[in-house]
Amino acid sequence: MKPRLPADWVFYLCLSILGGSYVVLIVAMIAADLFFTTPDHLLDALNKPQIRYAIKLSLISCTITTILSLWVGVPMGYLLARTNFWGKTSIDTVLDIPIVLPPLVIGLSLLILFQTWPGQFFEKNIFGVTFQIPSVILAQFSVSAAFAVRTMRVTFEQISPRTEQVAMTLGCTRAQAFWRVALPAARRGLLTAATLSWARALGEFGPILIFSGATHMRTEVLSTTVWLEFSIGNLEAGIAVSLLMIAAAVVVLILTRTLGLRGTGLV
Amino acid sequence: MIDVDHLCLQQGDFRLDDLSLHVPKGKYALLMGTTGCGKTTVLEAIAGLRTFASGRIQLNEHDATYLSPAERNIGYVPQDGALFQTMTVRDNLGFALSIRGQPAAAIKERVEQLAEWLHIARLLERRAVGLSGGETQRIALGRALANHPPVLLMDEPLSSLDEETRDRMIELLKELPRREKVTVLHVTHSRHEADQLGDFIFRLRDGRVEVIKADGIASQNITELRS
């Protein structure tokens, strides 16, 4: 291979410095958390029943949110990628709203929604939502689903429709071609959408605070625990819970990336 | 038998008017034309993958004009092969049979018969990724033929192959009508392929079909084509 010219090295060095500064910031933040806390702080936090409850509720609500996000993300992503219909641009814009809106506004909007008569009817006749566990899931879902839709749309756009067309000439209906050909081909995108939804749900705070409140042993999730501990001056517990959230996020990222690459010959 | 009568279709600025062609049962026909003249569009319309304004399509003596691609009972080989990359080569070959709920033993027998003929038996258990152009096209051909379709449509199946692989594929394709009892419409821009394979040769030019060779007999136009 031809040796690179010195000018190339300068170019790559500049890119590395500019891009690497962000990596350094992330690592420095995590390192600061690690140095601030001790194993005792972590154990103390884990021994608190309200924190154990928050961990349990976070894990359950994030998983339900992820399933619901994929439930709407896959069909909507497929429709946007494969079909043209009247109002598509408007729907596309609407789907971006949860991504760009301030989280507090989403929480406030959900709260107002359940003050309207359909919301009140739902709460009285089906099940209670506001300031209860379903509100946590709905608040997380309102934001996470938008990321799932975006990811699945890009995934289906990158898969050639030609394979589905071939499947239809081989005897499939469009639905069979979707289930047997398009969806298996989209599995890495599905895992990415699931990871993004789960991680986004875990970090959701603003909508939950407004729509669900921050009540110990009721609607407290890990993100609200950090805020509750911080607000009473217990910084050690707040940092310990933050580290638990970082660890959970890293585990999910590693798991999904490994599972997503399995069978591709890359792992 | 493939019978296209007075087909009219429009897509954006592209327009085909009153296009007709007839390929008798068991014959091998080639549809030639320059890039962008609409060869693939015609093939997709016959396969049911593209809507058209008017006209009639008959396949194997049945009116297929309003049938879905699945109901037309055709084999279709696209230019890039479009293999199902999440499946093994065996599952690709057996796809049309498994979707119809054929017994596993019948699928296995047909897949192995096709694999032997197409010289892809050693690839059967491999996932359909990282294959050469020739392997991809042979698998796509086998997958299209698995359910014994009476009509086979191929879109430039040899265009991305090197000369040696293409010559081997041509030898396989020559056996097709007799071996699989299938009527073939093969889209190409290669004069060499047309001369080697076609009982019938059509040329698509300015939205019209000219018959260059019919049942082995060259019309006067073949001289123009060669020149």
Side-chain angles (χ1 to χ4, degrees), chain B residues 139-223:
Chain B
I139 295 163
L141 178 62
R143 180 181 61 181
L145 291 170
N147 190 44
H148 302 284
V151 169
L152 178 68
L153 307 171
M154 293 193 285
D155 189 3
E156 303 197 33
L158 313 179
S159 63
S160 62
L161 306 183
D162 63 71
E163 210 165 314
E164 198 183 324
T165 313
R166 192 174 61 217
D167 288 344
R168 282 205 298 269
M169 273 297 283
I170 285 175
E171 290 310 311
L172 279 175
L173 295 177
K174 277 180 180 171
E175 297 174 33
L176 256 179
R178 183 181 48 80
R179 186 190 162 89
E180 296 291 326
K181 296 178 180 53
V182 67
T183 308
V184 184
L185 182 60
H186 171 153
V187 160
T188 184
H189 53 69
S190 160
R191 211 177 302 169
H192 175 69
E193 286 171 31
D195 286 342
Q196 292 276 309
L197 290 164
D199 300 316
F200 284 73
I201 302 175
F202 303 102
R203 182 165 60 185
L204 186 58
R205 189 160 65 178
D206 302 328
R208 303 244 168 215
V209 169
E210 299 169 5
V211 180
I212 304 295
K213 184 177 170 187
D215 215 3
I217 301 164
S219 75
Q220 205 176 359
N221 288 342
I222 197 94
T223 319

Coordinates of all heavy atoms in Angstrom, one line a residue, chain B residues 139-223:
Chain B
I139 N -29.2 -19.8 -8.5 CA -30.1 -20.0 -7.4 C -31.4 -19.3 -7.7 O -32.5 -19.9 -7.4 CB -29.5 -19.5 -6.0 CG1 -28.3 -20.3 -5.7 CG2 -30.5 -19.6 -4.9 CD1 -27.3 -19.7 -4.6
A140 N -31.3 -18.1 -8.2 CA -32.6 -17.4 -8.5 C -33.4 -18.1 -9.6 O -34.6 -18.2 -9.5 CB -32.2 -16.0 -9.0
L141 N -32.7 -18.7 -10.5 CA -33.3 -19.5 -11.6 C -34.0 -20.7 -11.0 O -35.2 -21.0 -11.2 CB -32.3 -19.9 -12.6 CG -32.8 -20.8 -13.8 CD1 -33.9 -20.1 -14.6 CD2 -31.7 -21.2 -14.7
G142 N -33.3 -21.4 -10.1 CA -33.8 -22.6 -9.5 C -35.0 -22.3 -8.6 O -36.1 -23.0 -8.6
R143 N -34.9 -21.2 -7.9 CA -36.1 -20.7 -7.0 C -37.3 -20.4 -7.8 O -38.4 -20.8 -7.5 CB -35.6 -19.5 -6.2 CG -36.6 -18.9 -5.3 CD -36.2 -17.7 -4.6 NE -35.8 -16.6 -5.6 CZ -35.4 -15.4 -5.3 NH1 -35.1 -15.1 -4.0 NH2 -35.1 -14.5 -6.2
A144 N -37.1 -19.8 -9.0 CA -38.2 -19.5 -9.9 C -38.9 -20.7 -10.5 O -40.1 -20.7 -10.8 CB -37.7 -18.5 -11.0
L145 N -38.1 -21.8 -10.7 CA -38.6 -23.0 -11.4 C -39.2 -24.0 -10.4 O -39.8 -25.0 -10.9 CB -37.4 -23.6 -12.2 CG -36.9 -22.8 -13.4 CD1 -35.7 -23.5 -14.0 CD2 -38.0 -22.8 -14.5
A146 N -38.9 -23.9 -9.1 CA -39.2 -24.9 -8.2 C -40.7 -25.4 -8.3 O -40.9 -26.6 -8.2 CB -38.9 -24.5 -6.8
N147 N -41.6 -24.5 -8.5 CA -43.0 -24.9 -8.5 C -43.5 -25.3 -9.9 O -44.7 -25.3 -10.1 CB -43.9 -23.8 -7.9 CG -45.3 -24.2 -7.6 OD1 -45.5 -25.3 -7.1 ND2 -46.2 -23.4 -8.0
H148 N -42.6 -25.6 -10.8 CA -43.0 -26.0 -12.2 C -43.9 -24.9 -12.8 O -45.0 -25.3 -13.3 CB -43.7 -27.3 -12.2 CG -42.8 -28.4 -11.6 ND1 -41.8 -29.0 -12.3 CD2 -42.9 -29.1 -10.4 CE1 -41.2 -29.9 -11.5 NE2 -41.9 -30.0 -10.4
P149 N -43.5 -23.7 -12.8 CA -44.4 -22.7 -13.5 C -44.4 -22.9 -15.0 O -43.3 -23.2 -15.5 CB -43.7 -21.3 -13.1 CG -42.3 -21.7 -13.0 CD -42.2 -23.0 -12.4
P150 N -45.5 -22.7 -15.6 CA -45.6 -22.8 -17.1 C -44.9 -21.7 -17.8 O -44.6 -21.8 -19.0 CB -47.1 -22.9 -17.4 CG -47.7 -22.3 -16.2 CD -46.9 -22.4 -15.1
V151 N -44.7 -20.6 -17.1 CA -44.1 -19.4 -17.7 C -42.9 -18.9 -16.8 O -43.0 -18.8 -15.6 CB -45.2 -18.2 -17.8 CG1 -44.5 -16.9 -18.2 CG2 -46.2 -18.6 -18.8
L152 N -41.8 -18.6 -17.5 CA -40.7 -18.0 -16.8 C -40.3 -16.7 -17.4 O -40.1 -16.5 -18.6 CB -39.5 -19.0 -16.9 CG -38.2 -18.6 -16.2 CD1 -38.3 -18.5 -14.7 CD2 -37.0 -19.5 -16.6
L153 N -40.1 -15.7 -16.5 CA -39.8 -14.3 -16.9 C -38.4 -14.0 -16.3 O -38.2 -14.2 -15.1 CB -40.8 -13.3 -16.4 CG -42.3 -13.6 -16.8 CD1 -43.2 -12.6 -16.0 CD2 -42.5 -13.5 -18.3
M154 N -37.5 -13.6 -17.2 CA -36.1 -13.3 -16.7 C -35.7 -11.9 -17.2 O -35.8 -11.6 -18.3 CB -35.1 -14.3 -17.2 CG -35.4 -15.7 -16.6 SD -34.0 -16.8 -17.0 CE -34.3 -17.2 -18.7
D155 N -35.2 -11.1 -16.2 CA -34.8 -9.8 -16.5 C -33.2 -9.7 -16.5 O -32.6 -9.6 -15.5 CB -35.4 -8.8 -15.4 CG -35.2 -7.4 -15.8 OD1 -34.6 -7.1 -16.9 OD2 -35.5 -6.5 -15.0
E156 N -32.7 -9.7 -17.7 CA -31.2 -9.6 -17.9 C -30.5 -10.4 -16.9 O -29.6 -9.9 -16.2 CB -30.8 -8.1 -17.8 CG -31.5 -7.2 -18.8 CD -30.8 -5.9 -19.0 OE1 -29.6 -5.8 -18.9 OE2 -31.6 -4.9 -19.3
P157 N -30.7 -11.7 -16.9 CA -30.1 -12.6 -15.9 C -28.6 -12.8 -16.1 O -27.9 -13.2 -15.2 CB -30.8 -13.9 -16.1 CG -31.3 -13.9 -17.5 CD -31.6 -12.5 -17.8
L158 N -28.1 -12.4 -17.3 CA -26.7 -12.7 -17.6 C -25.8 -11.4 -17.6 O -24.7 -11.5 -17.9 CB -26.5 -13.5 -18.9 CG -27.5 -14.7 -19.1 CD1 -27.3 -15.3 -20.5 CD2 -27.3 -15.7 -18.0
S159 N -26.5 -10.3 -17.4 CA -25.8 -9.0 -17.7 C -24.6 -8.8 -16.8 O -23.6 -8.1 -17.2 CB -26.8 -7.9 -17.6 OG -27.2 -7.8 -16.3
S160 N -24.6 -9.3 -15.6 CA -23.5 -9.0 -14.6 C -22.5 -10.1 -14.6 O -21.6 -10.1 -13.7 CB -24.1 -8.7 -13.2 OG -24.7 -9.9 -12.8
L161 N -22.5 -11.1 -15.5 CA -21.6 -12.3 -15.4 C -20.4 -12.1 -16.4 O -20.5 -11.5 -17.4 CB -22.4 -13.5 -15.8 CG -23.7 -13.8 -15.0 CD1 -24.3 -15.1 -15.5 CD2 -23.4 -13.8 -13.5
D162 N -19.3 -12.7 -16.0 CA -18.2 -12.7 -16.9 C -18.4 -13.6 -18.0 O -19.4 -14.4 -18.0 CB -16.9 -13.1 -16.1 CG -17.0 -14.5 -15.6 OD1 -16.9 -15.4 -16.4 OD2 -17.1 -14.6 -14.3
E163 N -17.6 -13.5 -19.1 CA -17.9 -14.2 -20.3 C -18.0 -15.8 -20.1 O -18.9 -16.4 -20.7 CB -16.8 -13.9 -21.3 CG -17.3 -13.9 -22.8 CD -16.3 -13.3 -23.7 OE1 -15.8 -12.2 -23.3 OE2 -16.0 -13.9 -24.7
E164 N -17.1 -16.3 -19.4 CA -17.1 -17.8 -19.2 C -18.3 -18.3 -18.5 O -19.0 -19.2 -18.9 CB -15.8 -18.2 -18.4 CG -15.4 -19.6 -18.6 CD -14.2 -20.0 -17.7 OE1 -13.3 -19.1 -17.6 OE2 -14.2 -21.1 -17.2
T165 N -18.6 -17.5 -17.4 CA -19.8 -17.9 -16.6 C -21.1 -17.7 -17.4 O -22.0 -18.6 -17.3 CB -19.9 -17.0 -15.3 OG1 -18.7 -17.0 -14.7 CG2 -21.0 -17.5 -14.3
R166 N -21.1 -16.7 -18.2 CA -22.3 -16.4 -19.1 C -22.5 -17.6 -20.1 O -23.6 -18.0 -20.3 CB -22.1 -15.1 -19.8 CG -23.4 -14.6 -20.4 CD -23.3 -13.3 -21.0 NE -22.3 -13.2 -22.1 CZ -21.5 -12.2 -22.3 NH1 -21.5 -11.1 -21.5 NH2 -20.6 -12.2 -23.2
D167 N -21.4 -18.0 -20.7 CA -21.5 -19.1 -21.6 C -22.0 -20.4 -21.0 O -22.8 -21.1 -21.5 CB -20.1 -19.4 -22.3 CG -19.7 -18.3 -23.2 OD1 -20.6 -17.5 -23.6 OD2 -18.6 -18.2 -23.6
R168 N -21.6 -20.6 -19.7 CA -22.1 -21.8 -19.0 C -23.6 -21.7 -18.7 O -24.3 -22.6 -18.8 CB -21.3 -22.0 -17.7 CG -19.9 -22.7 -17.9 CD -19.4 -23.4 -16.7 NE -19.3 -22.5 -15.5 CZ -18.2 -21.9 -15.2 NH1 -17.1 -22.1 -16.0 NH2 -18.1 -21.1 -14.2
M169 N -24.0 -20.4 -18.3 CA -25.4 -20.2 -18.0 C -26.2 -20.4 -19.3 O -27.3 -20.9 -19.3 CB -25.6 -18.8 -17.5 CG -25.4 -18.6 -16.0 SD -26.7 -19.5 -15.0 CE -28.1 -18.5 -15.2
I170 N -25.7 -19.9 -20.4 CA -26.4 -20.0 -21.7 C -26.7 -21.5 -22.0 O -27.8 -21.9 -22.4 CB -25.6 -19.3 -22.8 CG1 -25.8 -17.8 -22.7 CG2 -26.1 -19.8 -24.2 CD1 -25.0 -17.0 -23.7
E171 N -25.7 -22.4 -21.7 CA -25.9 -23.8 -22.0 C -27.0 -24.3 -21.1 O -27.8 -25.1 -21.5 CB -24.6 -24.6 -21.7 CG -23.4 -24.3 -22.7 CD -23.9 -24.5 -24.1 OE1 -24.5 -25.5 -24.4 OE2 -23.6 -23.6 -24.9
L172 N -27.1 -23.8 -19.8 CA -28.2 -24.3 -18.9 C -29.5 -23.8 -19.5 O -30.5 -24.5 -19.5 CB -28.0 -23.7 -17.5 CG -27.0 -24.4 -16.6 CD1 -26.9 -23.6 -15.3 CD2 -27.5 -25.8 -16.2
L173 N -29.5 -22.5 -19.9 CA -30.8 -21.9 -20.3 C -31.3 -22.6 -21.6 O -32.5 -22.7 -21.8 CB -30.6 -20.4 -20.5 CG -30.3 -19.6 -19.3 CD1 -30.1 -18.1 -19.6 CD2 -31.5 -19.7 -18.3
K174 N -30.4 -23.1 -22.5 CA -30.8 -23.7 -23.7 C -31.7 -25.0 -23.4 O -32.6 -25.3 -24.1 CB -29.6 -24.1 -24.5 CG -29.0 -23.0 -25.4 CD -27.8 -23.6 -26.1 CE -27.2 -22.5 -27.0 NZ -25.9 -22.9 -27.5
E175 N -31.4 -25.6 -22.2 CA -32.1 -26.8 -21.9 C -33.5 -26.5 -21.3 O -34.3 -27.4 -21.2 CB -31.3 -27.6 -20.8 CG -30.0 -28.1 -21.2 CD -29.3 -28.7 -20.0 OE1 -29.9 -29.3 -19.1 OE2 -28.0 -28.6 -19.9
L176 N -33.7 -25.3 -20.9 CA -34.9 -24.9 -20.1 C -36.2 -25.4 -20.7 O -37.0 -26.1 -20.0 CB -34.9 -23.4 -19.9 CG -34.5 -22.9 -18.5 CD1 -34.6 -21.4 -18.5 CD2 -35.4 -23.5 -17.5
P177 N -36.6 -24.9 -21.9 CA -38.0 -25.2 -22.4 C -38.2 -26.7 -22.4 O -39.3 -27.2 -22.1 CB -38.0 -24.6 -23.8 CG -36.9 -23.6 -23.8 CD -35.8 -24.1 -22.9
R178 N -37.2 -27.5 -22.9 CA -37.4 -28.9 -23.0 C -37.5 -29.6 -21.6 O -38.3 -30.4 -21.3 CB -36.3 -29.5 -23.8 CG -36.4 -31.0 -24.1 CD -35.2 -31.5 -24.9 NE -33.9 -31.1 -24.4 CZ -33.3 -31.6 -23.3 NH1 -33.8 -32.7 -22.7 NH2 -32.1 -31.2 -22.9
R179 N -36.5 -29.2 -20.8 CA -36.3 -29.9 -19.5 C -37.5 -29.5 -18.5 O -38.0 -30.4 -17.8 CB -35.0 -29.4 -18.8 CG -34.7 -30.2 -17.6 CD -33.5 -29.5 -16.9 NE -33.5 -30.0 -15.5 CZ -32.9 -31.1 -15.1 NH1 -32.2 -31.8 -15.9 NH2 -33.0 -31.4 -13.8
E180 N -37.8 -28.2 -18.4 CA -38.8 -27.8 -17.5 C -40.2 -27.5 -18.1 O -41.1 -27.1 -17.4 CB -38.4 -26.5 -16.8 CG -37.1 -26.7 -15.9 CD -37.3 -27.5 -14.7 OE1 -38.4 -27.5 -14.1 OE2 -36.4 -28.3 -14.3
K181 N -40.3 -27.8 -19.4 CA -41.6 -27.6 -20.1 C -42.2 -26.2 -19.8 O -43.3 -26.0 -19.3 CB -42.6 -28.7 -19.7 CG -42.1 -30.0 -20.2 CD -43.1 -31.1 -19.8 CE -42.6 -32.5 -20.3 NZ -41.2 -32.8 -19.9
V182 N -41.4 -25.2 -20.0 CA -41.7 -23.8 -19.6 C -41.6 -22.9 -20.9 O -40.8 -23.1 -21.7 CB -40.8 -23.4 -18.5 CG1 -39.4 -23.2 -18.9 CG2 -41.3 -22.1 -17.8
T183 N -42.5 -21.9 -20.9 CA -42.4 -20.8 -21.9 C -41.6 -19.7 -21.3 O -41.9 -19.3 -20.2 CB -43.8 -20.3 -22.3 OG1 -44.6 -21.4 -22.6 CG2 -43.7 -19.4 -23.5
V184 N -40.5 -19.2 -22.0 CA -39.6 -18.3 -21.4 C -39.7 -16.9 -22.2 O -39.7 -16.9 -23.4 CB -38.2 -18.8 -21.5 CG1 -37.2 -17.9 -20.8 CG2 -38.0 -20.2 -20.9
L185 N -39.7 -15.9 -21.4 CA -39.5 -14.5 -21.9 C -38.3 -13.9 -21.2 O -38.3 -13.8 -20.0 CB -40.7 -13.6 -21.8 CG -40.6 -12.2 -22.3 CD1 -40.3 -12.3 -23.8 CD2 -41.8 -11.4 -22.1
H186 N -37.2 -13.7 -21.9 CA -35.9 -13.3 -21.4 C -35.6 -11.9 -21.9 O -35.5 -11.7 -23.1 CB -34.9 -14.4 -21.8 CG -33.5 -14.1 -21.6 ND1 -32.6 -15.1 -21.4 CD2 -32.8 -12.9 -21.4 CE1 -31.4 -14.6 -21.2 NE2 -31.5 -13.3 -21.2
V187 N -35.5 -10.9 -21.0 CA -35.2 -9.6 -21.4 C -33.6 -9.4 -21.5 O -32.9 -9.8 -20.5 CB -35.8 -8.6 -20.4 CG1 -35.1 -7.2 -20.5 CG2 -37.3 -8.4 -20.7
T188 N -33.2 -8.8 -22.5 CA -31.7 -8.6 -22.7 C -31.4 -7.5 -23.6 O -32.3 -7.0 -24.3 CB -31.0 -9.9 -23.2 OG1 -29.6 -9.7 -23.2 CG2 -31.5 -10.3 -24.6
H189 N -30.2 -7.0 -23.5 CA -29.7 -6.1 -24.6 C -28.6 -6.7 -25.3 O -27.9 -6.0 -26.1 CB -29.4 -4.7 -24.0 CG -28.4 -4.7 -22.9 ND1 -27.1 -5.1 -23.1 CD2 -28.6 -4.5 -21.6 CE1 -26.5 -5.0 -21.9 NE2 -27.3 -4.7 -21.0
S190 N -28.3 -8.0 -25.1 CA -27.2 -8.6 -25.7 C -27.6 -9.4 -27.0 O -28.4 -10.3 -27.0 CB -26.6 -9.6 -24.7 OG -25.8 -10.6 -25.4
R191 N -27.0 -9.0 -28.1 CA -27.3 -9.7 -29.4 C -26.8 -11.1 -29.3 O -27.4 -12.0 -29.9 CB -26.5 -8.9 -30.5 CG -27.2 -8.9 -31.8 CD -26.4 -8.1 -32.8 NE -26.2 -6.7 -32.3 CZ -25.4 -5.9 -32.9 NH1 -24.6 -6.2 -33.9 NH2 -25.4 -4.6 -32.5
H192 N -25.7 -11.3 -28.6 CA -25.1 -12.7 -28.5 C -26.1 -13.6 -27.8 O -26.3 -14.7 -28.3 CB -23.8 -12.6 -27.7 CG -23.2 -13.9 -27.4 ND1 -22.6 -14.7 -28.3 CD2 -23.1 -14.6 -26.2 CE1 -22.1 -15.8 -27.8 NE2 -22.4 -15.7 -26.5
E193 N -26.7 -13.2 -26.7 CA -27.7 -14.0 -26.0 C -28.9 -14.3 -26.9 O -29.3 -15.4 -26.9 CB -28.2 -13.3 -24.7 CG -27.2 -13.3 -23.6 CD -27.6 -12.4 -22.5 OE1 -28.9 -12.2 -22.2 OE2 -26.8 -11.8 -21.8
A194 N -29.3 -13.3 -27.6 CA -30.5 -13.5 -28.5 C -30.2 -14.5 -29.6 O -31.0 -15.4 -29.8 CB -30.8 -12.1 -29.1
D195 N -29.0 -14.4 -30.2 CA -28.7 -15.4 -31.2 C -28.5 -16.8 -30.7 O -28.9 -17.7 -31.4 CB -27.3 -14.9 -31.9 CG -27.5 -13.7 -32.8 OD1 -28.7 -13.5 -33.2 OD2 -26.6 -13.1 -33.1
Q196 N -28.0 -16.9 -29.5 CA -27.8 -18.2 -28.9 C -29.0 -18.9 -28.4 O -29.2 -20.1 -28.5 CB -26.8 -18.1 -27.7 CG -25.4 -17.7 -28.0 CD -24.6 -18.9 -28.4 OE1 -24.5 -19.9 -27.7 NE2 -23.9 -18.8 -29.5
L197 N -30.0 -18.1 -27.9 CA -31.1 -18.7 -27.2 C -32.5 -18.6 -27.8 O -33.3 -19.5 -27.6 CB -31.2 -18.0 -25.8 CG -30.1 -18.3 -24.8 CD1 -30.1 -17.3 -23.7 CD2 -30.2 -19.7 -24.2
G198 N -32.7 -17.6 -28.6 CA -34.1 -17.3 -29.0 C -34.7 -18.1 -30.1 O -34.2 -18.1 -31.2
D199 N -35.9 -18.7 -29.8 CA -36.7 -19.2 -30.9 C -37.4 -18.0 -31.5 O -37.7 -17.9 -32.7 CB -37.8 -20.1 -30.3 CG -37.2 -21.4 -29.7 OD1 -36.3 -21.9 -30.2 OD2 -37.7 -21.7 -28.6
F200 N -37.8 -17.0 -30.5 CA -38.4 -15.8 -30.9 C -37.5 -14.6 -30.4 O -37.0 -14.7 -29.3 CB -39.8 -15.7 -30.3 CG -40.8 -16.5 -30.9 CD1 -40.8 -17.9 -30.8 CD2 -41.8 -15.9 -31.7 CE1 -41.8 -18.7 -31.4 CE2 -42.8 -16.7 -32.3 CZ -42.8 -18.1 -32.1
I201 N -37.4 -13.6 -31.2 CA -36.7 -12.4 -30.8 C -37.6 -11.2 -31.1 O -38.0 -11.0 -32.2 CB -35.3 -12.3 -31.5 CG1 -34.4 -13.5 -31.2 CG2 -34.6 -11.0 -30.9 CD1 -33.1 -13.5 -31.9
F202 N -37.8 -10.4 -30.1 CA -38.6 -9.2 -30.2 C -37.7 -8.0 -29.9 O -36.8 -8.1 -29.1 CB -39.8 -9.2 -29.3 CG -40.7 -10.3 -29.4 CD1 -40.7 -11.4 -28.5 CD2 -41.6 -10.4 -30.5 CE1 -41.6 -12.4 -28.6 CE2 -42.5 -11.4 -30.6 CZ -42.5 -12.5 -29.7
R203 N -37.9 -6.9 -30.6 CA -37.2 -5.7 -30.2 C -38.2 -4.6 -29.9 O -39.1 -4.4 -30.6 CB -36.3 -5.3 -31.4 CG -35.4 -4.0 -31.0 CD -34.3 -3.7 -31.9 NE -34.8 -3.5 -33.3 CZ -33.9 -3.3 -34.3 NH1 -32.6 -3.4 -34.1 NH2 -34.4 -3.1 -35.5
L204 N -37.9 -4.0 -28.7 CA -38.8 -2.9 -28.3 C -38.1 -1.6 -28.7 O -37.0 -1.3 -28.2 CB -38.9 -3.0 -26.7 CG -39.9 -2.1 -26.1 CD1 -41.3 -2.2 -26.6 CD2 -39.9 -2.3 -24.6
R205 N -38.8 -0.8 -29.5 CA -38.2 0.4 -29.9 C -39.3 1.5 -30.1 O -40.3 1.2 -30.7 CB -37.4 0.3 -31.3 CG -36.6 1.5 -31.7 CD -35.6 1.2 -32.7 NE -36.1 0.8 -33.9 CZ -35.4 0.5 -35.0 NH1 -34.0 0.6 -34.9 NH2 -35.9 0.1 -36.1
D206 N -39.1 2.6 -29.5 CA -40.0 3.7 -29.5 C -41.4 3.3 -29.1 O -42.4 3.6 -29.7 CB -40.1 4.3 -31.0 CG -38.8 4.8 -31.4 OD1 -38.0 5.3 -30.6 OD2 -38.5 4.7 -32.6
G207 N -41.5 2.4 -28.1 CA -42.7 2.0 -27.5 C -43.5 0.9 -28.3 O -44.6 0.6 -28.1
R208 N -42.8 0.4 -29.4 CA -43.4 -0.6 -30.2 C -42.6 -1.9 -30.2 O -41.3 -1.8 -30.1 CB -43.6 -0.1 -31.7 CG -44.3 1.2 -31.8 CD -45.6 0.9 -32.6 NE -46.5 2.1 -32.4 CZ -47.8 2.0 -32.4 NH1 -48.4 0.9 -32.4 NH2 -48.5 3.1 -32.3
V209 N -43.2 -3.0 -30.5 CA -42.5 -4.3 -30.6 C -42.3 -4.7 -32.0 O -43.3 -4.8 -32.8 CB -43.2 -5.4 -29.8 CG1 -42.6 -6.8 -30.1 CG2 -43.2 -5.1 -28.3
E210 N -41.1 -5.0 -32.4 CA -40.8 -5.5 -33.7 C -40.4 -7.0 -33.6 O -39.7 -7.3 -32.7 CB -39.6 -4.8 -34.4 CG -39.9 -3.3 -34.6 CD -38.6 -2.6 -35.0 OE1 -37.5 -3.2 -35.2 OE2 -38.6 -1.3 -35.0
V211 N -40.9 -7.8 -34.5 CA -40.5 -9.2 -34.5 C -39.3 -9.4 -35.3 O -39.3 -9.1 -36.5 CB -41.6 -10.1 -35.0 CG1 -41.2 -11.6 -35.0 CG2 -42.9 -9.9 -34.2
I212 N -38.2 -9.8 -34.7 CA -36.9 -10.0 -35.4 C -36.8 -11.4 -35.9 O -36.2 -11.7 -36.9 CB -35.7 -9.6 -34.4 CG1 -35.9 -8.2 -33.8 CG2 -34.4 -9.8 -35.1 CD1 -35.8 -7.1 -34.8
K213 N -37.3 -12.3 -35.0 CA -37.1 -13.7 -35.4 C -38.4 -14.4 -34.8 O -38.7 -14.2 -33.7 CB -35.9 -14.3 -34.7 CG -35.5 -15.7 -35.1 CD -34.2 -16.1 -34.4 CE -33.9 -17.5 -34.4 NZ -32.7 -17.8 -33.6
A214 N -39.0 -15.2 -35.7 CA -40.2 -15.9 -35.2 C -40.1 -17.4 -35.4 O -39.9 -17.8 -36.6 CB -41.5 -15.3 -35.9
D215 N -40.1 -18.2 -34.4 CA -40.0 -19.6 -34.4 C -38.8 -20.1 -35.2 O -38.9 -20.9 -36.1 CB -41.3 -20.2 -35.0 CG -41.6 -21.6 -34.3 OD1 -40.8 -21.9 -33.4 OD2 -42.5 -22.2 -34.7
G216 N -37.7 -19.4 -35.0 CA -36.4 -19.8 -35.6 C -36.2 -19.2 -36.9 O -35.1 -19.3 -37.5
I217 N -37.2 -18.5 -37.5 CA -37.0 -17.9 -38.8 C -36.8 -16.4 -38.7 O -37.7 -15.7 -38.2 CB -38.3 -18.2 -39.7 CG1 -38.5 -19.7 -39.8 CG2 -38.1 -17.5 -41.1 CD1 -39.9 -20.0 -40.3
A218 N -35.7 -16.0 -39.2 CA -35.3 -14.6 -39.0 C -36.1 -13.8 -40.0 O -36.2 -14.1 -41.2 CB -33.8 -14.4 -39.3
S219 N -36.6 -12.7 -39.5 CA -37.3 -11.7 -40.5 C -36.2 -10.9 -41.1 O -35.0 -10.9 -40.7 CB -38.3 -10.9 -39.7 OG -37.6 -9.9 -39.0
Q220 N -36.6 -10.0 -42.0 CA -35.6 -9.2 -42.7 C -34.9 -8.3 -41.7 O -33.7 -7.9 -41.9 CB -36.4 -8.3 -43.7 CG -35.5 -7.9 -44.8 CD -36.3 -7.1 -45.9 OE1 -37.5 -7.0 -45.7 NE2 -35.6 -6.7 -46.9
N221 N -35.6 -8.0 -40.6 CA -35.0 -7.1 -39.6 C -33.7 -7.6 -38.9 O -33.0 -6.8 -38.4 CB -36.0 -6.7 -38.5 CG -37.1 -5.9 -39.1 OD1 -36.9 -5.3 -40.1 ND2 -38.3 -5.8 -38.4
I222 N -33.6 -8.9 -38.9 CA -32.4 -9.5 -38.3 C -31.1 -8.9 -38.9 O -30.1 -8.7 -38.3 CB -32.4 -11.0 -38.2 CG1 -31.4 -11.6 -37.2 CG2 -32.0 -11.6 -39.6 CD1 -32.0 -11.9 -35.9
T223 N -31.2 -8.7 -40.2 CA -30.0 -8.1 -40.9 C -29.7 -6.7 -40.4 O -28.6 -6.4 -40.1 CB -30.3 -8.0 -42.4 OG1 -31.0 -9.2 -42.8 CG2 -29.1 -7.9 -43.3

